[in-house]
Amino acid sequence: MTASHIHHRRAVLGGGAALGLAALGGCATTAPAPAPTPSAPTFRSRPQLGRLDARPDRIMDITVCLRPFRPAGPRLDAETVGDKLVAHNYGHGGSGWSLAWGSAEIAVRQALGPGYREIAVIGCGALGLTAAVTAQRAGARVTIYAKEVMPDVRSARATGVWSPDSRIALAAAIAPGFPAQWEAMTRRSYQTWLGYLGLPGEPVGFIDRYMLWDDDVVGRRDPIGFAHLDRRLAGLAPATVAVPAGEHPFRQRSVRRVALPLFNIHALGRLLLGEFLQAGGRLEMAEFHTPADLARLKEKAVVNCTGYGARTLWKDETLVPVRGQIAWLTPQPEVTYGVNYQGVTMLSRRDGVVIQQTGPDDGWGWNDANETPDRAEAEAAVATIASVYG
């Protein structure tokens, strides 16, 4: 993709590669129609949008996540290791939460294929929890083996926005059948997540995202060459619309809005783990250093959901880290929307306000394994969001 690639392709998906974030995602925009000419400058909201108190003294935490990117896309094949059948389910880039149910279905089908009804799941993040629940729903007895659980897993540090094609693969490296497989995973996951709307604690909701530009809308550069597949999802999610000048509090000339699913990850993680345990699932703390360590498991079928950890455990050197940092501001309940402006994304969640620097292009964070928080980066991102209010 080049700079001329206009972001109409991201209008459906929003967040991540599609509007700004992936399981931490990258900042992106949509390909809006020309901005309306402002008429009366009066502010008439629907309802009035609360103004974010974006000051560095409100930063309550800074977290960093490494998104596990594979050029060919997620690993979803199966292999035999000793007497174990191992179905792989890792390498989703910034799309882990968004694709979780669809990829779990593929991995679990492979694990159960020979007739096994006792399944081991390695990992307790977004992919591990959904794979375990999926296996239970298929009638299997499941044990999760994990070194860490929520909130200490990497996927707990995601932004939580729906971003199914955020750094999902390289366009030049995917197999011919991958786009169709990705579409099926995405549609399956989307429909499953809709079933979590309205539950106590709001584990899954929708949020209005506002994309802002000072002048004309321009495309976002992609120096890496990621696969952009979201045109396959036309009509799946709410469309992006232009917002007239009097219906928002922002000073920018061009404003677009889209409603996107949002995962309140801490509440969602507790809900999924609770569902797993209530259905008779077992959780054992364990660490594996080589594939041979799986020999000590009693289960013959294993679903490997180790994310970036597979680079070490499975010696998968194709995995590339993509760094993403979040500055967390204290919760502000009257702010019920998100903003994307100049390579920075803000999302207001129940557990805090997420502000992430997503950089000038889609190469931000690429091949950066540094998980040390950067206070200067966090304060700069907060300042950028503060500047959008007129």
Side-chain angles (χ1 to χ4, degrees):
M1 190 176 72
T2 66
S4 63
H5 183 81
I6 305 300
H7 282 243
H8 179 69
R9 57 164 293 275
R10 302 183 178 189
V12 172
L13 300 180
L19 270 185
L21 300 165
L24 285 190
C27 173
T29 51
T30 55
T37 302
S39 51
T42 55
F43 176 53
R44 52 185 197 284
S45 65
R46 37 138 266 163
Q48 184 172 2
L49 298 177
R51 178 177 177 136
L52 180 68
D53 187 2
R55 291 180 287 116
D57 63 325
R58 292 178 61 83
I59 296 176
M60 63 178 182
D61 196 10
I62 301 173
T63 59
V64 178
C65 179
L66 301 183
R67 288 154 284 190
F69 172 81
R70 296 181 79 246
R75 186 175 182 187
L76 295 168
D77 64 319
E79 64 176 307
T80 300
V81 178
D83 66 343
K84 310 297 184 188
L85 171 65
V86 180
H88 295 291
N89 185 23
Y90 70 86
H92 294 68
S95 303
W97 284 103
S98 300
L99 297 179
W101 293 108
S103 64
E105 197 169 75
I106 294 171
V108 169
R109 186 185 308 124
Q110 294 186 96
L112 296 178
Y116 295 126
R117 285 299 175 263
E118 291 193 7
I119 303 295
V121 172
I122 310 300
C124 198
L127 280 303
L129 285 171
T130 50
V133 172
T134 298
Q136 285 181 323
R137 292 175 180 177
R141 294 183 298 277
V142 185
T143 300
I144 294 176
Y145 299 90
K147 179 177 67 173
E148 298 168 322
V149 298
M150 292 280 182
D152 297 322
V153 295
R154 282 193 173 99
S155 56
R157 302 194 291 272
T159 55
V161 75
W162 169 255
S163 55
D165 80 338
S166 171
R167 296 174 174 86
I168 190 60
L170 292 183
I174 57 177
F178 179 74
Q181 182 187 53
W182 172 86
E183 180 181 351
M185 287 192 296
T186 302
R187 291 182 178 276
R188 173 60 172 158
S189 294
Y190 183 80
Q191 292 300 324
T192 304
W193 285 129
L194 291 184
Y196 285 79
L197 293 173
L199 296 181
E202 197 178 0
V204 179
F206 269 78
I207 189 170
D208 282 341
R209 292 281 304 281
Y210 290 84
M211 292 74 70
L212 315 179
W213 297 268
D214 292 313
D215 297 304
D216 294 332
V217 176
V218 296
R220 181 173 169 84
R221 291 183 60 253
D222 177 6
I224 307 300
F226 293 113
H228 300 290
L229 304 171
D230 51 296
R231 282 197 180 94
R232 302 180 67 97
L233 302 180
L236 178 69
T240 304
V241 298
V243 183
E247 296 185 3
H248 64 78
F250 311 116
R251 63 172 181 78
Q252 281 68 29
R253 175 176 177 270
S254 301
V255 179
R256 303 278 292 182
R257 182 183 63 236
V258 64
L260 299 172
L262 179 69
F263 308 117
N264 286 298
I265 291 173
H266 294 151
L268 182 56
R270 287 192 296 272
L271 177 66
L272 291 173
L273 183 58
E275 180 178 347
F276 169 73
L277 294 174
Q278 289 170 14
R282 297 175 59 246
L283 173 62
E284 291 192 17
M285 306 308 294
E287 187 170 357
F288 303 91
H289 301 284
T290 71
D293 291 345
L294 300 180
R296 69 177 187 256
L297 301 180
K298 67 179 187 299
E299 296 87 359
K300 297 298 184 183
V302 179
V303 182
N304 173 32
C305 304
T306 48
Y308 186 66
R311 181 180 173 92
T312 300
L313 173 60
W314 230 261
K315 301 298 185 286
D316 188 346
E317 304 254 338
T318 69
L319 274 169
V320 178
V322 184
R323 183 184 190 276
Q325 174 177 287
I326 293 175
W328 292 85
L329 272 58
T330 53
Q332 199 171 335
E334 71 274 20
V335 177
T336 58
Y337 58 92
V339 166
N340 187 75
Y341 175 62
Q342 287 192 347
V344 179
T345 295
M346 180 275 284
L347 293 166
S348 183
R349 290 178 13 185
R350 292 174 63 93
D351 52 357
V353 178
V354 170
I355 298 184
Q356 183 186 26
Q357 177 75 254
T358 52
D361 58 45
D362 285 348
W364 184 262
W366 171 259
N367 202 21
D368 184 352
N370 180 12
E371 293 187 270
T372 303
D374 183 337
R375 178 79 187 194
E377 177 185 317
E379 292 193 4
V382 171
T384 296
I385 294 300
S387 74
V388 306
Y389 298 98

